[in-house]
Amino acid sequence: MINVMENTYFSALLLASLIMSQAEECIVGVIEEHVQLPCIYNGVKNLTSLLLSSEWKRDVEVIHTTNWTKQQEDTQNVSRSTTVPSSAPNSGDFTMVLRDIRLSDAQNYSFHLKLQGQENSILVCTVCLTVAGHFSHTTVLRENIVNGEKTQLVCNTRGGFPAPNIYWIINHTQRPPKTTIITYVNTLPQSQLYNITSVLSINISPDTVVAYVIENDVLNETSTTTNCECPFSFWKHSSLKDGVKSNVVHGRLSKYLWLFSTVLCVVVFLLVAASLCYQRNLDRDIKRRNHFRCGGDSCSEDTELIVMDMKLWASLPETDV
């Protein structure tokens, strides 16, 4: 009877703590980072003197289970990288850390406590998790601008979530007509992350400042890139890939490669010409030395002339050899 009353009292305390622990808004987790799902026990019952078991659930799936005794913590089930402080019964902080966030983690989570010997667990906390991703740094590329002619500016960004608000701004204040903008939105292969390319076709002067703005409302981020940061000239090539039309941009890199190739060809030509001149001068020096040694007559480079004095030969004593 005493145990039943204690369990009923404990359940009432947990229900009271639940009212204070409900999350008013969703927690935002960033893809490939970690997030803390908060849960603080606010009841007056001292949990350190009880034998407890706890569960964190993602919807109905149990992702973290721990048994608490007076002396130790026994983590029985861990899904992926989840942790709960070992001192949770003492501090009342049962916050779970969820690592390596994925898009599929955007769900409702709940934390449950149960006394050993008790059949039903008590809901203590509920947490809503929203997942978002940062978009890559954007670059604005543009054609060479000629007064009186329409030019195109292209901006690409990728790897973010959810789909952002995007728009162009002319000279910091003006919005171009919607009819001058074409935006292609698709998801990256094997993911739901967005790849966005926007093309602005407009008649502007070379000194006009054009900005491309991306707003991620979930992360409360705004990224602004201007054409002045990257004034590339480019040629366009339209192609179809995964049902999305893309513009292939070719900037100053081709010009630099052409200059490098030209300089390299000139250097190689000079080296070849220098080596030919050196070889020709070397051959000329060899012929000149041979001419002086042979007195103008042709001779073999490896032949030496031997002159014999016949009178000296006749005066030599005879031998039997």
Side-chain angles (χ1 to χ4, degrees):
M1 184 67 179
I2 296 177
N3 290 334
V4 173
M5 293 180 60
E6 183 179 359
N7 291 343
T8 303
Y9 176 66
F10 177 68
S11 300
L13 290 175
L14 289 179
L15 288 174
S17 70
L18 172 62
I19 297 176
M20 294 181 287
S21 301
Q22 291 286 354
E24 296 181 356
E25 59 184 12
C26 289
I27 302 298
V28 178
V30 180
I31 295 173
E32 297 183 354
E33 297 183 9
H34 70 273
V35 66
Q36 292 185 346
L37 304 182
C39 183
I40 305 297
Y41 169 72
N42 294 321
V44 296
K45 189 68 174 179
N46 184 7
L47 300 182
T48 58
S49 61
L50 301 175
L51 301 180
L52 302 171
S53 64
S54 65
E55 290 180 342
W56 268 102
K57 293 182 179 181
R58 180 193 294 117
D59 197 7
V60 296
E61 175 193 6
V62 177
I63 61 173
H64 192 101
T65 299
T66 306
N67 291 330
W68 309 91
T69 67
K70 297 179 181 180
Q71 302 295 333
Q72 62 182 1
E73 166 199 8
D74 178 22
T75 301
Q76 295 182 341
N77 180 28
V78 177
S79 175
R80 266 176 43 211
S81 298
T82 57
T83 56
V84 173
S86 59
S87 61
N90 296 324
S91 63
D93 184 2
F94 291 91
T95 298
M96 181 180 68
V97 176
L98 180 63
R99 293 180 172 82
D100 191 23
I101 301 299
R102 306 169 185 172
L103 285 176
S104 59
D105 291 326
Q107 298 187 45
N108 292 322
Y109 294 78
S110 58
F111 177 72
H112 305 258
L113 274 178
K114 182 174 67 174
L115 283 173
Q116 286 191 3
Q118 196 176 24
E119 293 185 1
N120 298 322
S121 62
I122 303 300
L123 175 65
V124 180
C125 299
T126 59
V127 182
C128 168
L129 177 63
T130 298
V131 176
H134 300 290
F135 281 91
S136 64
H137 177 71
T138 57
T139 300
V140 175
L141 307 175
R142 73 184 184 191
E143 288 180 319
N144 289 327
I145 297 177
V146 180
N147 284 325
E149 296 184 7
K150 183 176 292 187
T151 187
Q152 285 192 337
L153 297 96
V154 180
C155 189
N156 176 262
T157 187
R158 56 188 294 156
F161 189 87
N165 302 319
I166 57 176
Y167 52 90
W168 295 84
I169 298 180
I170 308 298
N171 287 332
H172 309 291
T173 57
Q174 303 174 4
R175 293 280 190 95
K178 293 183 178 180
T179 55
T180 62
I181 302 172
I182 301 177
T183 300
Y184 308 100
V185 180
N186 69 319
T187 55
L188 297 175
Q190 300 179 350
S191 76
Q192 295 177 328
L193 304 181
Y194 284 97
N195 180 31
I196 300 174
T197 300
S198 184
V199 182
L200 172 64
S201 301
I202 195 170
N203 190 337
I204 57 176
S205 61
D207 58 347
T208 302
V209 177
V210 182
Y212 182 75
V213 182
I214 299 177
E215 295 179 343
N216 190 328
D217 292 336
V218 176
L219 294 178
N220 196 24
E221 291 181 343
T222 300
S223 174
T224 303
T225 307
T226 67
N227 65 317
C228 295
E229 295 180 10
C230 191
F232 289 104
S233 60
F234 67 100
W235 58 272
K236 298 175 297 176
H237 174 72
S238 298
S239 61
L240 291 177
K241 184 178 181 181
D242 300 328
V244 179
K245 186 179 180 181
S246 62
N247 287 332
V248 181
V249 180
H250 179 70
R252 289 182 178 174
L253 181 59
S254 60
K255 179 180 179 181
Y256 295 148
L257 289 177
W258 181 83
L259 291 175
F260 175 77
S261 300
T262 303
V263 173
L264 183 61
C265 290
V266 172
V267 172
V268 172
F269 173 79
L270 293 176
L271 290 175
V272 172
S275 62
L276 291 176
C277 291
Y278 175 79
Q279 185 63 41
R280 186 178 61 180
N281 293 332
L282 182 62
D283 292 341
R284 184 180 300 169
D285 291 341
I286 293 174
K287 291 181 179 180
R288 186 182 295 112
R289 287 196 297 268
N290 289 340
H291 177 77
F292 290 152
R293 185 176 62 184
C294 297
D297 298 329
S298 61
C299 61
S300 175
E301 185 176 321
D302 298 329
T303 303
E304 294 185 0
L305 296 178
I306 302 176
V307 180
M308 177 64 67
D309 190 344
M310 298 304 297
K311 293 182 178 181
L312 180 61
W313 173 268
S315 64
L316 292 175
E318 295 182 2
T319 63
D320 295 332
V321 180

